[in-house]
Structures are given as structure tokens and as C-alpha cells.
Amino acid sequence: MLSVHSCGCCRVFAARAIQFQTTPSLFFSTPNYKSRVGTARRVAASSGFAGDSGSDLRQETIADTRTNYAGVRLEETVDNGIRSGKLRLDSWISSRISGISRARVQSSIRAGLVQVNGRVVDKVSFNVKAGDEISCTISELQTLRAVPENIPLDIVYEDEHVLVINKPAHMVVHPAPGNTSGTLVNGILHHCNLPNVEYSKEEALSNTEDSDDEFNSFYTNASSCEGLSSRPAVASIRPGIVHRLDKGTSGLLVVAKDEHSHMKLSEQFKLRTIKRVYVSLTAGLPTPVAGRVEVPVGRDPNNRLRMTAVAGPLNPRKSRHAASRYKVIEILARGGCALVEWKLETGRTHQIRAHAKYLGVPLLGDEVYGATRSMVLSLLRPRTPSGLHSKIVQMVSRIDRPCLHALTLGFKHPHTGQEVHFSCEPPADFDEILNQLRKISNEGAFFTKHSIS
């Protein structure tokens, strides 16, 4: 286990005895339990002409990222001022409709709703050029359904109002295209005896692609949950995914069980008063060994699966302020790796992963951010005797996710106002890699000592 903790696998801390109220929950009907177990706004883009600048495009800005873009039409000529080289059709359309996700545009292209010079083009990577006349209609939303599934949940704490869950690595938090079952949401629905949840693919795509890792909730139609809400003005309710962890990240996550708790917890995330500590294994040793990274994080224009941290004036316009504090807890493999603690001041998507790459020390197992097997081996081999190289290769080949764990979580309880803190040690796979790196360090020192003598 991590040497920085002497506790067991999980612990619950509080300044005094926790005595939560047992008032009825708005959304869930579960016993008190503690366990270790808008209307669319049309965007009418004016027709452009060769030579028009992009800034001349009269286009209505949509601030709400959940706006239904169904039926929005774009008719425009590709500007003569575009840079030479390849320009993808999906990328160009995304840049012309404010706030829309590229995934939504790609769905419309594949549906045959886009024409280039009067001909239907259903290839999202089709290259456009200056003078091409583009006609696009955004497709209707398609719904996803989350159904209750009997998935074992590692529940650190539960009462009438909140759930604190130790999410395992490889579990997706909420359904999305390609991951409609086996998610944390599916398990929560079963655990709390809730019915199916239906929501749009656009909501799922915004949560997985273009939004913060905070303030995200899955929505359910109020009419599908009898007794949950009778207010006619309420079109949907939020059963409480307040923040999320990446699929490959393990550790602590809080779930709100009623509207009041959701609101209060969301406020704490917004005010940055939630206490979150992560630990990671990095490929390389950060320099300096402790510090603060304040570099904006935004979508990588060359790879939609990852974010990028770019400092200075070249920072993309859609990047958002991001700040992380880090500290090396232990130097491993003679400087080839490190055990690093992270404290988040903001909560951007992939923030730690992007900031680690910015520091030149991507997380072990995080090939998306540069920690390929060849890169890791190039760091470890020169630092270890040749007799240990086979062990290194075996260890690296077994790493199947970014080595990142949400270690501690602290917040003010939304109903009692009491500060509560939870801690959970990293899972077995993380601990095994850590121990092997320590063993490599020790054996390497042993080999070096005896080779000198």
C-alpha cells in the first residue's frame, strides 16, 4: 500500500461524530445505509462568399451547451482566406456553428445531411477547399437509455442524501454512445431502485467530449419516475452525478441523491472548496519536484480524444483556465518514474493527464498522452542493470490504464453542513506496479553496489 497512509483500504474521517438527518429523499427511496460495499434557438448562418472573413459571418451565439441544435441549417462558401493544406469537413462545420460538438456534426454528415457543391458527402474527414459551397442540416437528437443493472458498487459511505463510491478503473461513469451499459449510472439505478433513464446522445456527447469534468449530471424525464416531481415547470430532474472520473481512473466520487444535495455540491465544485487529492505514477521525474502548474487546458485540435495544455498567446481560444499543484512523494526506479501527489484547483477534463504531459512526465500507462511502452522502456532501461530488463518489459506490458487514483475527497455535507473527508488506497494494479518499481530500485542499487566491489 502507499507509504503515505497507514490506514486500511478505505476510511471515513470527520471532525466529530457524523449524525445525518433522515428527512425523505426527493429522488431515491433507499434506507439509511453505511457500507463498504430549451427550446432550440435556430442558428441561421448567412450565405458567405469567397473572400469573406470568418468574423463577418452573422451567427447567433448559443451559450447553453445543452441546446438542441436539431434542424439548424448552415449554407456558406468556404473562405478563400483559409490556410493552405487539408481542412476536414467536420472541423470546418463545427467552427461555423457556435457551441456545437464535433461529434454532433459528424452524426449529421454520416446521416447524409451535408452537401458539398450540391453533392451529398457522408465522409466526416472529407477535405474542403476555398470556394466550396457547403450546405448542412443538423440531425435530430437520438436518445440513449440507461437501465438498472446489478453491478457491484464499492460504496464507501451512504446516507439519505449522498453516496461516496470507490470507482474501479475501466468503469465508465455514465452511458454514452459506445458505452450504454456497465456504467456507474447503471449500477446506481439498480442500487437505488430507480427506473430507466432516457436522455439525448447530445447530452452524453457533451459530457464525454466538450465539457468540464465537473457539474455534469445525467437527466431523466420526470414523468418516468412516479412521485419524484409533480411540478409542471420541471421538465427533467438530476439524480446526481456531480463530477466524474475518466474511465481509466480509479478512486472516490460523490453522488447526490436529491436535488438540494446536487445543488449544494455543485456550488462547492464551482467555488473550488471541494478537497480532492490524487496520486499518480509518472514516466519520468518532474522538475522541480514540487510546484504549481497554471496552464489552460483545451481540446487538442489534432486529436479529439485528448486535451492539451498550451501556455502563452498561442493557446487555443476554447482552452479554459486550469491549475494543479503537485508534489513528488517518492522517486522510483532511480529517477525513471515517480509517485506524485496532485491537488486540483480546477477540474478540467483530463487536467492532471494534460498537465503531467506539459511537465514532460506523462502518467504511466497513458499512451494517449505520450507514455508509450517504448518511451517508458527508454527511461527505465538505462537506469537498471541488463539482468532486470526482462522484468521491466513484463511490468510495462501489463499496464493497461493511466496510473491515476482519486485518493481523498472532502466536502461540506449538503444537509448538515459538516465537513466530511474520505480516503481510499489505490487498487491492486496500481499498488503492484508501485511495488515493482520499488523492487527495481532496490535490486538496481544491489547490482550497482556489487558490480563496483
Side-chain angles (χ1 to χ4, degrees):
M1 291 300 189
L2 275 177
S3 58
V4 292
H5 284 270
S6 59
C7 58
C9 181
C10 280
R11 282 183 136 183
V12 181
F13 300 97
R16 57 185 183 277
I18 303 177
Q19 294 181 340
F20 294 109
Q21 300 174 2
T22 57
T23 51
S25 169
L26 177 62
F27 301 132
F28 294 76
S29 56
T30 56
N32 193 29
Y33 173 73
K34 296 182 183 180
S35 175
R36 273 284 303 128
V37 267
T39 302
R41 296 175 63 189
R42 301 282 175 171
V43 180
S46 61
S47 298
F49 300 93
D52 286 353
S53 67
S55 60
D56 291 335
L57 175 64
R58 296 191 303 275
Q59 187 173 345
E60 188 173 5
T61 300
I62 298 178
D64 182 1
T65 60
R66 294 186 185 278
T67 296
N68 183 347
Y69 291 88
V72 168
R73 286 187 55 82
L74 171 69
E75 293 184 358
E76 189 178 348
T77 302
V78 178
D79 192 349
N80 279 328
I82 67 171
R83 296 178 180 178
S84 59
K86 296 180 179 180
L87 178 61
R88 286 171 55 118
L89 177 61
D90 58 346
S91 178
W92 184 84
I93 294 175
S94 299
S95 71
R96 313 311 294 168
I97 302 179
S98 177
I100 197 168
S101 70
R102 189 182 295 191
R104 184 72 183 279
V105 171
Q106 291 174 342
S107 176
S108 303
I109 294 172
R110 294 189 179 104
L113 298 177
V114 174
Q115 294 184 5
V116 178
N117 299 324
R119 298 180 60 182
V120 173
V121 174
D122 59 6
K123 183 180 179 182
V124 298
S125 60
F126 179 85
N127 292 321
V128 299
K129 59 184 183 298
D132 281 347
E133 296 181 357
I134 312 296
S135 174
C136 169
T137 301
I138 301 302
S139 61
E140 295 290 332
L141 289 172
Q142 300 180 35
T143 59
L144 290 171
R145 172 174 291 185
V147 300
E149 295 181 32
N150 187 8
I151 301 171
L153 299 178
D154 189 2
I155 299 173
V156 176
Y157 178 82
E158 180 176 13
D159 64 19
E160 300 267 4
H161 311 292
V162 296
L163 266 171
V164 177
I165 295 174
N166 178 28
K167 186 189 85 69
H170 308 298
M171 174 182 275
V172 176
V173 171
H174 49 64
N179 286 291
T180 57
S181 65
T183 72
L184 183 63
V185 165
N186 296 113
I188 291 173
L189 292 176
H190 178 271
H191 174 74
C192 297
N193 299 315
L194 285 177
N196 296 351
V197 171
E198 288 189 358
Y199 55 102
S200 70
K201 281 188 177 180
E202 179 67 7
E203 288 173 340
L205 292 170
S206 69
N207 279 346
T208 56
E209 289 205 343
D210 297 317
S211 59
D212 226 351
D213 70 348
E214 298 172 358
F215 325 131
N216 292 310
S217 304
F218 62 87
Y219 283 64
T220 178
N221 191 303
S223 63
S224 68
C225 305
E226 292 185 3
L228 295 184
S229 177
S230 59
R231 292 171 294 172
V234 178
S236 62
I237 61 174
R238 297 191 273 188
I241 300 297
V242 186
H243 65 129
R244 65 173 197 260
L245 300 175
D246 292 339
K247 178 181 179 180
T249 303
S250 57
L252 296 173
L253 182 142
V254 62
V255 178
K257 295 176 66 176
D258 57 65
E259 188 174 12
H260 174 81
S261 297
H262 185 277
M263 177 187 68
K264 289 295 186 180
L265 287 171
S266 295
E267 287 178 355
Q268 293 179 58
F269 273 104
K270 186 175 182 180
L271 295 172
R272 315 299 181 195
T273 59
I274 299 284
K275 298 176 178 62
R276 292 174 292 171
V277 178
Y278 294 72
V279 287
S280 71
L281 295 172
T282 60
L285 179 64
T287 304
V289 294
R292 182 174 182 270
V293 184
E294 187 175 7
V295 180
V297 170
R299 186 69 57 184
D300 188 332
N302 300 316
N303 186 339
R304 296 288 296 175
L305 296 179
R306 70 185 178 201
M307 310 299 285
T308 184
V310 182
L314 296 179
N315 147 48
R317 64 183 180 87
K318 289 188 177 180
S319 294
R320 305 178 67 184
H321 169 72
S324 310
R325 295 183 183 273
Y326 72 92
K327 177 177 66 176
V328 173
I329 301 174
E330 184 177 353
I331 298 175
L332 302 164
R334 305 175 72 184
C337 296
L339 176 64
V340 181
E341 175 188 275
W342 300 84
K343 294 183 178 180
L344 297 184
E345 296 181 18
T346 56
R348 307 307 178 203
T349 301
H350 296 188
Q351 178 174 318
I352 291 176
R353 298 167 67 186
H355 277 174
K357 178 177 174 59
Y358 177 81
L359 291 172
V361 289
L363 307 186
L364 276 184
D366 198 354
E367 296 200 0
V368 172
Y369 284 85
T372 62
R373 293 181 180 180
S374 60
M375 180 268 197
V376 174
L377 290 174
S378 70
L379 287 173
L380 296 179
R381 277 176 171 156
R383 293 171 168 83
T384 56
S386 58
L388 298 177
H389 286 181
S390 61
K391 290 185 178 181
I392 293 173
V393 172
Q394 291 175 12
M395 180 196 71
V396 172
S397 65
R398 287 197 297 267
I399 302 175
D400 61 356
R401 56 113 172 178
C403 292
L404 180 63
H405 175 74
L407 181 71
T408 66
L409 178 66
F411 54 89
K412 183 179 292 185
H413 192 278
H415 281 260
T416 68
Q418 183 180 358
E419 293 285 344
V420 292
H421 300 272
F422 306 91
S423 180
C424 187
E425 296 282 359
D429 67 328
F430 187 108
D431 202 44
E432 180 183 356
I433 297 166
L434 174 59
N435 288 331
Q436 288 188 24
L437 288 171
R438 286 170 173 165
K439 188 175 181 181
I440 289 172
S441 299
N442 295 334
E443 291 186 10
F446 176 83
F447 271 67
T448 302
K449 177 181 177 181
H450 283 261
S451 62
I452 293 174
S453 60

